[in-house]
Amino acid sequence: MHPYKLKYHKNSVLLIAMVGIPVFFISLMLYCLFSLPSSLSETSTLIFVSLSIILMALLLLWITKTQIFVHSKILISEKGISFKLKSTSFLYRRTEFFSGWENVSSVTEMFDNHNGGYFYQIAFKNPDFVANFSPLKNHEIEADRFFSELQYYQESYNIAHQLPISRKLNPSNSFN
């Protein structure tokens, strides 16, 4: 069992951060602007607004680089898939997860418009969430091996558990 090192993120966390942080900063900035004395010059107000926007952009970049897209270690076996987040992030409650193949509903490869590469989505049934894994910089070959192995184990599980069902539905196909 070879451990794979990939970046992990969830779309819901990305969406919440990209909407929630600007809304918070804009609300805070407006509150501060309306609390400032009216005798403040236009230049001071412009500097305050500019610094607030720059601070918000820097915070969004930091959160994206360190808190949303986090390094993880993934293990795949015939029993299932497990991953552990290597860095701590205040945005993810669960830092370790294991799931048997019966709990994996789909495995897909998606094109990433942001950096022109691919990332891999694994949809789980219980708890119901989608995990996204993307290659680390200059580790695309390892990510391709990860996806190939992931597909192999999921297809092996599906074949092993669908064959008995098809025999029950059509007993004439059984090998007597």
Side-chain angles (χ1 to χ4, degrees):
M1 194 166 29
H2 173 74
Y4 294 100
K5 295 176 184 168
L6 302 165
K7 289 186 292 186
Y8 166 81
H9 82 277
K10 286 174 47 178
N11 290 342
S12 59
V13 172
L14 180 64
L15 179 66
I16 289 168
M18 293 298 143
V19 171
I21 291 171
V23 166
F24 173 75
F25 259 90
I26 291 170
S27 301
L28 185 63
M29 182 181 66
L30 289 174
Y31 175 76
C32 292
L33 276 175
F34 289 123
S35 299
L36 291 174
S38 58
S39 62
L40 198 63
S41 70
E42 288 180 14
T43 307
S44 300
T45 305
L46 183 61
I47 289 172
F48 172 75
V49 170
S50 299
L51 288 175
S52 297
I53 291 172
I54 290 169
L55 183 63
M56 178 183 64
L58 290 174
L59 182 66
L60 274 174
L61 283 172
W62 176 78
I63 285 178
T64 302
K65 297 266 186 218
T66 64
Q67 302 298 305
I68 295 174
F69 293 91
V70 294
H71 290 252
S72 63
K73 179 180 173 184
I74 300 107
L75 295 171
I76 303 173
S77 70
E78 61 276 344
K79 294 178 184 175
I81 179 170
S82 68
F83 60 87
K84 180 180 181 178
L85 303 183
K86 295 195 93 163
S87 55
T88 57
S89 171
F90 65 88
L91 296 173
Y92 296 112
R93 294 178 303 180
R94 179 176 282 168
T95 59
E96 291 185 38
F97 182 75
F98 173 80
S99 172
W101 293 112
E102 69 278 357
N103 194 31
V104 175
S105 60
S106 69
V107 173
T108 54
E109 182 177 37
M110 306 289 289
F111 183 71
D112 183 4
N113 291 328
H114 178 64
N115 58 19
Y118 288 89
F119 67 95
Y120 310 105
Q121 285 188 333
I122 304 171
F124 296 98
K125 297 175 189 172
N126 189 15
D128 184 21
F129 77 100
V130 176
N132 300 309
F133 297 97
S134 54
L136 297 173
K137 196 170 197 167
N138 300 323
H139 288 85
E140 290 80 12
I141 294 172
E142 182 179 12
D144 288 340
R145 279 195 312 255
F146 161 76
F147 186 64
S148 296
E149 189 174 346
L150 190 63
Q151 283 183 311
Y152 168 77
Y153 279 117
Q154 187 203 26
E155 288 173 7
S156 296
Y157 175 82
N158 288 341
I159 289 170
H161 289 84
Q162 288 175 356
L163 189 58
I165 293 171
S166 65
R167 283 186 185 166
K168 288 178 187 175
L169 295 176
N170 191 357
S172 64
N173 288 343
S174 62
F175 303 107
N176 292 332

